[in-house]
Every structure is written in structure tokens, then in C-alpha cells.
Amino acid sequence: MVERSRDVWASFQHDPRDPAVAPLRASDADRNVIHGVLTEAFADGRLDREEYDERTAATLAARTLGQLPPLVADLVLDRPLLPATVPLSAASSSELQRRAEARWREDRRGAFIGFVGSAVVMWTIWFAVNWDQSNGGLQLDAFPWPLIINALALLNLLRVATNRREIVAAELQRLERKQAKALESRAKKKQTGS
């Protein structure tokens, strides 16, 4: 729990506490990081249901990176700002490896949230549809179709969790290709500028 709080700001591509990037638009991945902190705090009893619901709604409505830090300011350690992200063209192989591993963690977190979120939504719908008002109970003969969706989401979660090496290697190759193109583009600009 504490370990997660220590690295929450490292989970962002751009540190949302940095005034220079605060006006940038927040991505779904950025909002998912904050939502994960809120979910963990609610599970730990550090937020009550009302606070959790309010902050979750604010997280989902956040348009910019600067709107996210206040939502978890009392839940995570406030470490100094992380150094600015190194441009891809200047990134070392260890930086590329770090980015590839961060992408896998982001994918794993997204798969987990997808599994839990779909389970909650689908089972809520199933219970609502199969609630028998006349008996005051469930129609137990109804087919539990949310199991199919749960199984698919669980398979995705297991795929992401167990294929770490392959996912990191594929992301590393993608970053290396992108870096090579950036270096090539920079070299062409230097040639035409000289």
C-alpha cells in the first residue's frame, strides 16, 4: 500500500504536479492512475463511500493533468517533482526499458480495472433484471450470462499478467523503432539546415 503511494507520480508520462504540463489534456491512463489510488484508499478505509464517489466523479470529469493531483493530495506522499521526461530521441536503452515496463504495468492495471469494472456492471444488471418483485427474491433459473463476460475479461487479465516478457519486448521494439525514426528525422533536419 505505501509502496504504491510512493510511485504514483512515476506512473504518469508527465508529472501532473508540474505547472508546465498541468494544462495538458489528461488521458484515460492518467485518470486510471488516480482512480486506482482512490479505490485503494476506499478499500483501506481511508475514504468513506461519499468521498470516494465524489472524487471518482471528479477524476472521470478531469480534463487536464493539473486537475488530478488535488484529488489524491491527502492520500499519497508528495515527493519532489520528477525530472522532465527525456525525449525519446535522447533516451538511453535503460530509459527505453523503463518505459516499456511502465507500459506493461499500465496495461496490467487497465486489464484489472476492466475485469473488476465489467464484473460489477454486468452482475448489477443481471441482478436487476432477474429480481422477482412478486417473490422478493432472485429468479435462480436465469442463465448467469455475466460469467461469459467475466471469463473474457479474466482471460485478458491473465494474458497481460503472464506475458510480461513478451509485452515488454514488443513495446521496447516499438520504442526503438520510434527512436530510430526520431533520430533519422533529426539528422535530416541538420543536413538541410547546414
Side-chain angles (χ1 to χ4, degrees):
M1 169 186 66
V2 174
E3 186 62 35
R4 166 132 189 202
S5 297
R6 266 192 226 137
D7 72 351
V8 68
W9 305 117
S11 300
F12 289 90
Q13 183 175 5
H14 303 289
D15 192 329
R17 299 169 298 161
D18 184 351
V21 299
L24 293 178
R25 299 287 290 213
S27 69
D28 288 339
D30 297 327
R31 286 184 282 272
N32 284 341
V33 170
I34 298 299
H35 187 261
V37 172
L38 295 174
T39 301
E40 184 177 302
F42 177 65
D44 291 344
R46 293 183 285 146
L47 291 177
D48 63 28
R49 184 63 188 196
E50 185 178 327
E51 290 174 308
Y52 173 75
D53 290 342
E54 287 174 11
R55 292 185 192 199
T56 297
T59 299
L60 295 175
R63 297 271 187 241
T64 64
L65 287 172
Q67 293 172 308
L68 298 174
L71 299 171
V72 295
D74 59 342
L75 301 173
V76 296
L77 297 174
D78 190 23
R79 295 185 337 186
L81 286 176
L82 297 171
T85 305
V86 176
L88 190 59
S89 60
S92 65
S93 59
S94 62
E95 172 65 14
L96 293 178
Q97 181 70 28
R98 187 194 65 75
R99 289 183 187 188
E101 289 176 4
R103 176 62 187 260
W104 172 78
R105 285 191 299 275
E106 189 177 299
D107 289 351
R108 183 184 61 182
R109 188 177 307 116
F112 177 75
I113 290 171
F115 171 69
V116 172
S118 67
V120 169
V121 170
M122 294 302 126
W123 283 106
T124 301
I125 292 170
W126 186 85
F127 278 108
V129 169
N130 292 301
W131 188 260
D132 187 358
Q133 292 291 339
S134 60
N135 285 343
L138 281 175
Q139 297 174 7
L140 297 177
D141 60 341
F143 178 73
W145 54 265
L147 288 175
I148 297 169
I149 296 165
N150 293 153
L152 293 174
L154 181 61
L155 286 174
N156 183 50
L157 175 60
L158 291 174
R159 178 191 63 80
V160 171
T162 59
N163 291 326
R164 178 179 185 258
R165 187 176 303 134
E166 291 83 5
I167 292 170
V168 169
E171 178 65 9
L172 188 58
Q173 285 180 341
R174 186 188 74 78
L175 289 171
E176 288 170 344
R177 284 192 305 269
K178 196 171 175 181
Q179 183 182 47
K181 286 181 183 178
L183 290 171
E184 184 179 309
S185 174
R186 190 190 315 173
K188 284 182 182 179
K189 284 181 184 178
K190 281 184 180 180
Q191 286 178 350
T192 58
S194 300

